[in-house]
Amino acid sequence: MSRKKIVIALGHRALGTTLPEQYVATKKTARILSNLVEAGADIVISHSNAPQVGMIHTAMNEFGLGREKYTAAPISVCSAMSQGYIGYDLQNAMRAELLKRGIYRPVCTIVTQVMVDPYDEAFSEPVKIIGRLLTKEEAEREERNGNYVTEVEGGYRRIVAAPKPQGIIEIDSIRALSDLGHVVIACGGGGIPVLAQGVDLKGASAVIEKDYASGRMAELLNADEFMILTSVEHVSVGYGTDSETPLKHISVEQAKQYIKENQFGANTMLPKVAAGVSFLEKGTGRRVVITSIDKALDGYLGKTGTIIE
């Protein structure tokens, strides 16, 4: 029986927030994901990074204050740093868990860059809040430097664009390692957004929604399945109302109709369903599963979760 290639997108719950939380959470996550490997899956893992990249951005910028030789760290650099240290904990946890089960699978993290379109409308409508609380004077300085800020309780914070992913620079490396049976961690935090400038790549002041980047990676790898592990067992329509209904097995057309009806939160479930639909429309024989991380194996076996195909 041939093994299935699955791209798995991990949400915040799989990682925790602080360094100690992350160390513990990744060990639990590794046990869950190793169940899928034992069940016949070749997995490529992506993950969120919102708390981690925010912490790095704050720390790097605080360090640069008042130190002439140090500058503020661009968001692209902070994203790269988050990929490295999340990948470090996750790959070590996966390696140890697989070895405990007598499974030898090399595990690696690839610092991944994702191409974005400089003309993406998202650059004129930034929505993602990042970094520490700013004073009015600091916010004005950010605006003079060409950055966007928004007023929040107690002060101001920077906001950046969330453009859609176009291509994945390291996709050939990801594919080659995955085809050799490696467990690959890639596109962490949606990838590092970059713009092409001739042969060079320049980091963009943006973040990419991890579900869209993960779905794009699944498309480019021609994966059999795209699994999104989140905090709920099922996607629901009528969420938060008396008529809330969990979705169990739906078609692409049904999913598109629910999107049209604005059934999903713009910053919560919509990216997951939309990324899943895009993945399914670009290939045949594919499946999308959206479920809670604790139900990952049951979702893979088709016993629970929202399945779209």
Side-chain angles (χ1 to χ4, degrees):
M1 180 177 175
S2 61
R3 299 181 66 87
K4 285 186 177 180
K5 180 167 292 190
I6 304 180
V7 170
I8 301 171
L10 299 175
H12 163 64
R13 187 177 172 191
L15 302 173
T17 299
T18 66
L19 290 172
E21 280 182 8
Q22 180 176 295
Y23 182 77
V24 173
T26 51
K27 286 186 174 297
K28 179 181 178 182
T29 296
R31 290 193 292 271
I32 291 168
L33 298 185
S34 294
N35 290 336
L36 302 182
V37 176
E38 279 195 319
D42 288 330
I43 62 174
V44 177
I45 306 165
S46 71
H47 57 78
S48 64
N49 74 340
Q52 291 86 352
V53 79
M55 178 175 62
I56 293 168
H57 187 267
T58 299
M60 295 297 291
N61 283 279
E62 286 288 346
F63 182 79
L65 289 175
R67 293 178 172 87
E68 285 186 17
K69 293 183 179 180
Y70 295 92
T71 60
I75 189 66
S76 56
V77 172
C78 297
S79 180
M81 294 172 74
S82 76
Q83 286 189 16
Y85 99 81
I86 293 171
Y88 165 68
D89 275 350
L90 189 53
Q91 72 184 29
N92 283 343
M94 283 296 303
R95 175 184 178 276
E97 184 62 31
L98 290 170
L99 287 174
K100 287 177 187 176
R101 301 181 188 210
I103 301 170
Y104 178 71
R105 289 290 186 95
V107 186
C108 65
T109 298
I110 295 180
V111 176
T112 314
Q113 302 172 96
V114 175
M115 189 75 74
V116 295
D117 182 352
Y119 300 106
D120 192 309
E121 291 181 358
F123 282 108
S124 61
E125 298 178 3
V127 294
K128 294 286 187 178
I129 296 176
I130 63 164
R132 66 177 178 85
L133 200 65
L134 304 171
T135 65
K136 183 174 177 60
E137 292 73 23
E138 289 173 323
E140 290 173 346
R141 184 164 61 247
E142 289 287 350
E143 288 184 322
R144 287 196 298 272
N145 290 335
N147 297 320
Y148 291 88
V149 298
T150 187
E151 189 169 1
V152 297
E153 184 178 353
Y156 300 81
R157 291 179 70 186
R158 270 195 67 190
I159 50 174
V160 297
K164 293 287 175 53
Q166 302 300 314
I168 298 171
I169 303 302
E170 288 77 22
I171 192 64
D172 290 337
S173 299
I174 298 167
R175 182 184 296 108
L177 290 169
S178 177
D179 287 349
L180 287 171
H182 295 221
V183 174
V184 184
I185 302 163
C187 283
I192 305 161
V194 293
L195 302 166
Q197 296 188 343
V199 296
D200 296 321
L201 297 172
K202 177 178 173 57
S205 183
V207 295
I208 300 171
E209 170 58 57
K210 74 103 172 44
D211 294 316
Y212 288 128
S214 303
R216 183 69 176 133
M217 180 165 64
E219 292 170 18
L220 295 174
L221 292 176
N222 193 28
D224 299 294
E225 186 168 308
F226 177 32
M227 175 176 280
I228 303 171
L229 299 180
T230 183
S231 59
V232 293
E233 189 171 348
H234 297 91
V235 180
S236 293
V237 292
Y239 183 74
T241 70
D242 292 338
S243 60
E244 181 174 334
T245 304
L247 301 175
K248 296 185 178 179
H249 203 142
I250 62 173
S251 67
V252 170
E253 289 307 314
Q254 286 174 305
K256 290 168 73 173
Q257 181 60 35
Y258 290 135
I259 291 172
K260 188 176 180 180
E261 294 171 1
N262 296 316
Q263 289 282 357
F264 310 122
N267 296 313
T268 52
M269 203 55 73
L270 176 60
K272 296 171 175 54
V273 178
V277 167
S278 178
F279 166 69
L280 292 170
E281 289 187 322
K282 292 181 174 62
T284 58
R286 297 175 171 182
R287 186 174 77 158
V288 170
V289 177
I290 305 173
T291 193
S292 67
I293 185 166
D294 296 329
K295 299 290 184 178
L297 181 58
D298 284 344
Y300 173 71
L301 296 175
K303 296 179 179 179
T304 193
T306 297
I307 298 173
I308 313 173
E309 57 185 352

